[in-house]
Amino acid sequence: MVHLVAREDPGGRHLLLGNEAVARGAVESNVEIAAAYPGTPSSEIVETLAEVADDVGMHVQWSTNEMVAFEVAIGGALCGKRSLASMKHIGANWIMDPLMHAVYHGFDAGLLIISADDPSGHSSANEQDNRYMAQLAEIPALEPSDFQEAKDYVGHALSLSEEVKLPVMLRLVTRICHSRGDCTFGPVRREKRPPRFSDDYYRDFVLGGNIVGPKAIPKLHRIQHEKLARVEEAAARAGLFQSEVPEDGPSGGLGIIASSAPVGYVLDSLDSRGLMGKVGLLKLGLSVPFPEKTVSSFASSFEKVLVVEEGEPYIERNLAALAKCDLPGLKIFGKLTSHLPREGELNFSSVDGALASLLGLGAREVPPEKLKLMEVSSKLVTPRIMSMCAGCPHRAAFYAAKKATRTAANARYVAIGDIGCYTLGMYPPLRFMQDVFCMGGSIGVANGVAKSGITDPVIATIGDSTFYHAGIPALINATFNQANIKVMVLDNEVTAMTGYQPHPGCGETATKKPTKRVVIEEICRACGIEFVRIVDPYDFSSSVRAMEDAIRFEGPAVVIFRRLCTQEHLRRARRQGLRIEKYRVDLQKCIGCRTCVAAFGCPAIGFDRERKKAYVIALDCVGCGVCASVCPQGAFSPERAGEGT
């Protein structure tokens, strides 16, 4: 059966996840090459495209990192194929180098960068507004405000890219990516274009007789500025700006300029207060380059303007700069005036409150029954910290490593982590890493820590997918500069944190086709690492010994903790009808020392305070059996049929 996203159904209306709507837009718009490195909240775009790739004739791949993904897209566009690279906002940091080169090249086919920004950092290490990245690179950035636009703007962005011959960014935010909404399909237009290499850069500045350098670069830069100057007009023709000015004069002299997801909050607020059509509204579907003519024309009708946008006050600042010369009497409100919060996501309440404040309306009262419900529910919910899953092999690896530091280094060590499920190892009760940095940053930072003269063992923790993404250059650096670091590669054989996507070590591509496995230990040895050990983290004794040996080894050493992600293991077991053997606590042996809960912290283990005994939560237990190694009394054992826990 054809996947919904690939279905020929023009005019059909369907409920789609925002990322699925973007994927549908790519199918409708004849994207022929799509690449990405998985990263929440963007992962489902290429994940969905991978499911329909064969049906629609599209090449779809997970790349080893975002830079490679974007370079793949550049290569596709150079050969006349509409191409896209998708990534989360932090992932886009990786593409800056190729992007800053690509902007001087002309492409005959659309080249699209999809940046999924994450206000509030729901699944990210920071808040980052990539409109500033588009501004730095001097490329257009489009901002869809709902699911229909998320689909349609893919086509608009590609057309704009082809018209002005620049890469174009489609800037999404979490609420667009991970919400569902109504979406009307257009026709699926698939055309297999014959590949043809066409690059203005090569044609005009190499074959054309110019030498790329101080003479040619300013000329290329001028051409880029000429391209940018055409963007606002092209965006207006595409209908990316929508404005409404009340005929009988705006209510309170107020106009609103909004973009992205907050447009919905504005519309809901106006509708609920009976102000729809009475307050001026300009919706910006393109924010970079800043559309000065459009904004100036709208704002000139008002005494004051409220800017509602997700992320940094990018529009607000540009409007302030514009008004300084063109609209000196205009009063501008938004994040810079504290009418809206500058940090975190906006929501209906924050936008409605700002509107009420500027229009002199009363604050919206919270219904008493809602307050009562909140009071009752707050007492029922137990506060919890983030924790790794029950049976997670990373927990076992950290626990073993911590024991090794006690026996081999008097419990002294410095551990640097990076981004992935294993980041949770810095939280109690394990508290293994003292600091965490970006993708691959653990090994690079550990290199520096080791060279600081510190005498404690220096440990870097990194996941398997992250190792392929960014760990290898830093590992080579460790060999090259003989940094005495110990690298724990936490290999759960899948990119687990973002949805179990395959990576180069999995042996299959994004479209589930078999491919050659790129083996981590072979890479480590090729990088010059002489100490490479592979262990099963469920094998507690072997894991401890491997880390002890690594710590005592003089020079860079790698220990690979390899065990399939527990969640993926459970999925496969369910499909195969395998029985999971649970564990139980022998109450006669348990002395209530709480090592299993206070030091190991598996969420499948509880502690009965009255009886002062541990117990296993059978529903959560995955039968890993590591608790049996952790317990000093040997109180945990496999549950025999019919026994309770």
Side-chain angles (χ1 to χ4, degrees):
M1 185 176 179
V2 178
H3 191 289
L4 174 63
V5 166
R7 198 175 299 168
E8 186 66 76
D9 184 23
R13 296 175 60 190
H14 301 280
L15 188 67
L16 292 182
L17 191 71
N19 281 343
E20 292 172 337
V22 172
R24 171 68 185 189
V27 171
E28 289 185 5
S29 304
N30 201 38
V31 169
E32 292 189 76
I33 293 179
Y37 179 81
T40 309
S42 69
S43 303
E44 295 86 357
I45 296 171
V46 158
E47 204 165 65
T48 304
L49 289 175
E51 293 186 45
V52 304
D54 292 340
D55 290 334
V56 302
M58 184 187 302
H59 172 75
V60 180
Q61 67 168 246
W62 291 118
S63 301
T64 47
N65 63 34
E66 293 85 355
M67 184 176 77
V68 175
F70 181 55
E71 289 166 344
V72 168
I74 289 175
L78 277 177
C79 293
K81 305 281 187 179
R82 281 189 162 186
S83 303
L84 69 79
S86 172
M87 59 208 73
K88 68 181 297 174
H89 63 298
I90 310 174
N93 297 338
W94 277 78
I95 73 166
M96 282 308 291
D97 198 22
L99 175 60
M100 297 305 286
H101 288 78
V103 293
Y104 283 178
H105 293 240
F107 303 94
D108 285 340
L111 177 57
L112 181 60
I113 302 160
I114 301 175
S115 169
D117 291 9
D118 190 13
S120 282
H122 292 284
S123 53
S124 308
N126 73 351
E127 295 186 305
Q128 179 175 310
D129 188 336
N130 279 357
R131 291 177 298 182
Y132 285 103
M133 182 177 289
Q135 185 182 38
L136 172 64
E138 299 184 279
I139 61 170
L142 275 58
E143 293 192 82
S145 66
D146 60 25
F147 314 98
Q148 186 69 47
E149 290 182 354
K151 178 185 80 69
D152 295 341
Y153 277 27
V154 173
H156 291 317
L158 289 164
S159 297
L160 180 61
S161 173
E162 289 166 353
E163 180 173 343
V164 300
K165 292 185 178 296
L166 282 173
V168 172
M169 176 183 287
L170 185 70
R171 189 234 183 187
L172 308 173
V173 294
T174 304
R175 294 296 159 182
I176 298 290
C177 296
H178 281 173
S179 300
R180 289 187 180 274
D182 190 33
C183 199
T184 301
F185 281 9
V188 173
R189 295 195 176 97
R190 303 300 302 172
E191 174 193 355
K192 195 76 174 178
R193 300 178 181 177
R196 182 175 62 85
F197 184 83
S198 175
D199 177 15
D200 292 347
Y201 186 83
Y202 187 77
R203 184 181 63 217
D204 295 345
F205 295 97
V206 180
L207 296 181
N210 292 286
I211 299 172
V212 177
K215 290 185 178 178
I217 295 300
K219 184 176 181 181
L220 286 164
H221 202 180
R222 176 172 55 76
I223 292 172
Q224 187 185 8
H225 290 156
E226 291 170 355
K227 293 175 178 178
L228 279 176
R230 306 202 307 269
V231 168
E232 182 175 354
E233 182 183 340
R237 276 190 271 108
L240 299 184
F241 309 125
Q242 297 175 23
S243 66
E244 183 177 350
V245 178
E247 293 181 0
D248 55 351
S251 176
L254 178 68
I256 302 170
I257 299 177
S259 69
S260 190
V263 170
Y265 310 141
V266 172
L267 295 175
D268 284 348
S269 175
L270 294 177
D271 185 47
S272 64
R273 290 184 177 274
L275 292 173
M276 195 67 85
K278 298 177 182 177
V279 175
L281 174 61
L282 170 62
K283 183 166 77 66
L284 293 180
L286 175 138
S287 51
V288 184
F290 188 65
E292 293 185 356
K293 294 178 182 175
T294 303
V295 172
S296 180
S297 174
F298 173 81
S300 64
S301 300
F302 302 93
E303 300 168 9
K304 50 190 177 183
V305 167
L306 171 66
V307 180
V308 185
E309 58 190 318
E310 201 77 276
E312 285 292 290
Y314 165 84
I315 296 173
E316 191 177 344
R317 283 201 174 107
N318 276 280
L319 175 59
L322 178 69
K324 190 173 183 180
C325 296
D326 296 350
L327 304 165
L330 184 68
K331 296 177 182 175
I332 302 168
F333 302 94
K335 298 189 173 194
L336 294 176
T337 59
S338 300
H339 284 77
L340 290 166
R342 185 168 172 182
E343 300 83 17
E345 282 187 303
L346 298 182
N347 54 45
F348 171 82
S349 297
S350 59
V351 173
D352 185 68
L355 268 171
S357 169
L358 292 171
L359 292 173
L361 304 175
R364 197 181 294 272
E365 292 187 3
V366 181
E369 57 273 20
K370 185 175 181 180
L371 291 174
K372 181 66 177 176
L373 180 63
M374 291 171 64
E375 180 185 350
V376 173
S377 61
S378 66
K379 295 177 182 176
L380 296 175
V381 177
T382 303
R384 296 180 188 275
I385 62 169
M386 291 192 290
S387 176
M388 289 176 282
C389 307
C392 176
H394 299 339
R395 176 183 290 101
F398 287 137
Y399 194 80
K402 201 155 186 174
K403 182 174 178 60
T405 61
R406 287 196 292 270
T407 53
N410 295 320
R412 295 191 59 83
Y413 69 96
V414 176
I416 309 293
D418 63 17
I419 302 301
C421 303
Y422 44 91
T423 304
L424 299 173
M426 72 182 301
Y427 294 130
L430 290 167
R431 290 184 176 175
F432 184 73
M433 289 91 75
Q434 292 101 332
D435 217 335
V436 167
F437 290 88
C438 58
M439 301 283 280
S442 60
I443 302 179
V445 173
N447 269 271
V449 173
K451 291 299 181 183
S452 72
I454 200 164
T455 55
D456 297 329
V458 180
I459 300 172
T461 65
I462 188 168
D464 43 347
S465 187
T466 318
F467 178 84
Y468 296 111
H469 180 289
I472 298 168
L475 192 64
I476 294 171
N477 188 70
T479 300
F480 176 42
N481 293 292
Q482 280 301 289
N484 189 16
I485 63 173
K486 318 303 165 188
V487 180
M488 295 173 60
V489 180
L490 301 154
D491 182 3
N492 61 7
E493 304 183 56
V494 72
T495 313
M497 191 174 185
T498 52
Y500 311 101
Q501 295 86 0
H503 59 53
C506 295
E508 67 176 23
T509 67
T511 53
K512 308 297 182 188
K513 294 181 175 60
T515 186
K516 181 177 177 60
R517 287 184 64 222
V518 181
V519 183
I520 292 174
E521 51 268 33
E522 292 180 359
I523 295 175
C524 293
R525 294 185 182 109
C527 289
I529 303 297
E530 296 175 2
F531 183 106
V532 179
R533 195 77 59 84
I534 305 161
V535 294
D536 179 352
Y538 284 3
D539 185 342
F540 186 67
S541 300
S542 297
S543 297
V544 173
R545 281 198 303 274
M547 280 303 296
E548 288 173 339
D549 293 345
I551 290 170
R552 290 171 178 140
F553 182 81
E554 189 59 36
V558 174
V559 178
I560 302 169
F561 292 87
R562 179 167 292 150
R563 164 67 71 162
L564 180 64
C565 168
T566 303
Q567 296 304 314
E568 182 64 14
H569 165 71
L570 291 174
R571 287 191 183 91
R572 295 181 187 180
R574 280 194 290 269
R575 284 197 294 268
Q576 296 170 16
L578 301 178
R579 181 178 178 274
I580 301 296
E581 187 176 53
K582 312 284 184 177
Y583 271 66
R584 62 184 293 275
V585 176
D586 185 332
L587 299 180
Q588 300 301 318
K589 293 183 178 179
C590 178
I591 61 172
C593 68
R594 300 181 74 249
T595 300
C596 53
V597 290
F600 186 56
C602 177
I605 303 174
F607 190 78
D608 188 327
R609 292 181 182 277
E610 293 185 0
R611 292 197 297 176
K612 293 184 172 50
K613 302 286 183 182
Y615 63 90
V616 173
I617 305 167
L619 193 63
D620 294 333
C621 179
V622 300
C624 70
V626 180
C627 52
S629 300
V630 168
C631 178
Q633 300 299 316
F636 290 84
S637 60
E639 175 188 329
R640 293 188 294 274
E643 285 186 336
T645 58

